[in-house]
Each structure stands twice: as structure tokens, then as C-alpha cells.
Amino acid sequence: MKFLATVALLATAVAAAPADKLFNLKTSGASNSSHNDLYLSVGHGLVSDPLNIEAVFSGANASSAAAFSFVNGTIILETGTTTAWYLDLINVGGAREERAQVSVMPTEGSQGFSVTRQGLQGPSDIWDGWLWCPTNAAAGQVFPNLHFLSKSVQEPAVPSGCDKIQLSAVPKSSA
């Protein structure tokens, strides 16, 4: 009898569990005020690599922002499909070697994200802060991108043209 009561209680708890809370990511804390209040979206960041999807800034309009959820230390992009896409922190070479890139990858992503009063924090083993970085035509970029300061890249402290920012998780409106 206890077993059936426990199963019934567990089934009720699972049914009552809230759905994943969707949120947008919005910039703040930039030294250049035009880099504040921008929403994060996703897009094809490189002309030369149309299959690579990056975290890009879509502007100050929440309607064009990407929706994310937070599950067990990973940030999942809401795509409306059954394939999960995650934020992934990667180090890149070539023209962008001083900028560690934030990519959006299917079926895998970086773990260790947390949401604090200071906003979205990255995995502590590699992450050292968020960056708004301008379009880099030499690297083939199309939009300003979200990058991160990598603990493995010491110089420059903040790459040329980039601005150190915070990302705040803003609950997605139901509009």
C-alpha cells in the first residue's frame, strides 16, 4: 500500500512540475551605452560557413530575440523542434583567435552555466566574462557577436573594438 501511495505522490509531483521557464538574454553593464539593452538571437555569423550558427545581437526589440531555457547547467535554445540546440563556448583560431566564440550547436553544449544576480555566468574552468564584439568583415562576420573572455587567452585583456558586458536572463513575455 505504501508503494502505491508513493507512486501516486510521485506522479502528482511530476504532473505539477512547472514547464521549463523561457527567457531572453539581454546586455547590460557595457562601457558603451549603445551596447546595453540588446537582445541575443542566433544567426549565421560567417558568410564562409553557412552551417555554423552563432549567438548574435538582434537589437533592442525583444520580439526578434531567441528564447532559451536553463537545464542542469546548460543553456538550451528553444527552436520549436525536437532537436535540442545548446550554447557552446569554443576557442577559435585564425582572424578571430583573440575572441573565444559562443556557438549554437545541436545535441551538445557547454555545461556549468549559472544564473546569478550578476546575470548569466559561464563555466568557471574556461569562462572569464562576456563580450559584445563588432562585426569583423575580415573574418567574414555578418553581425555583432557574443564572445567570451577565455581564461586560456591572456592577451589582449579585451580584444580591440569589443566591450565587456553582462547578460541578464529576462523572463520571456507571453505576448
Side-chain angles (χ1 to χ4, degrees):
M1 212 49 172
K2 270 187 173 179
F3 174 75
L4 290 177
T6 303
V7 170
L9 184 60
L10 181 60
T12 303
V14 170
D20 292 333
K21 302 274 190 231
L22 293 180
F23 58 88
N24 301 123
L25 292 170
K26 186 176 180 182
T27 63
S28 64
S31 60
N32 181 334
S33 63
S34 69
H35 302 155
N36 289 326
D37 299 319
L38 301 176
Y39 286 93
L40 194 65
S41 190
V42 296
H44 298 290
L46 297 175
V47 173
S48 61
D49 187 6
L51 298 179
N52 187 28
I53 298 181
E54 296 179 340
V56 299
F57 292 102
S58 63
N61 189 347
S63 65
S64 60
F68 299 95
S69 61
F70 180 74
V71 177
N72 297 327
T74 59
I75 303 296
I76 302 172
L77 171 67
E78 175 59 41
T79 62
T81 67
T82 57
T83 303
W85 287 71
Y86 301 91
L87 283 187
D88 194 26
L89 305 182
I90 57 175
N91 288 316
V92 296
R96 298 183 301 166
E97 67 185 12
E98 67 184 25
R99 302 176 185 182
Q101 180 180 355
V102 178
S103 189
V104 182
M105 306 287 288
T107 68
E108 63 180 65
S110 296
Q111 297 179 349
F113 287 102
S114 61
V115 179
T116 70
R117 285 187 169 166
Q118 291 77 35
L120 180 65
Q121 307 294 302
S124 62
D125 57 332
I126 59 170
W127 179 86
D128 203 20
W130 296 115
L131 295 171
W132 174 97
C133 289
T135 301
N136 182 341
Q141 288 182 324
V142 180
F143 301 104
N145 281 242
L146 174 66
H147 293 268
F148 71 100
L149 288 170
S150 174
K151 288 182 178 178
S152 66
V153 178
Q154 299 301 312
E155 294 295 328
V158 174
S160 176
C162 295
D163 200 359
K164 198 164 183 178
I165 60 169
Q166 294 176 342
L167 284 177
S168 299
V170 179
K172 181 146 177 73
S173 65
S174 58

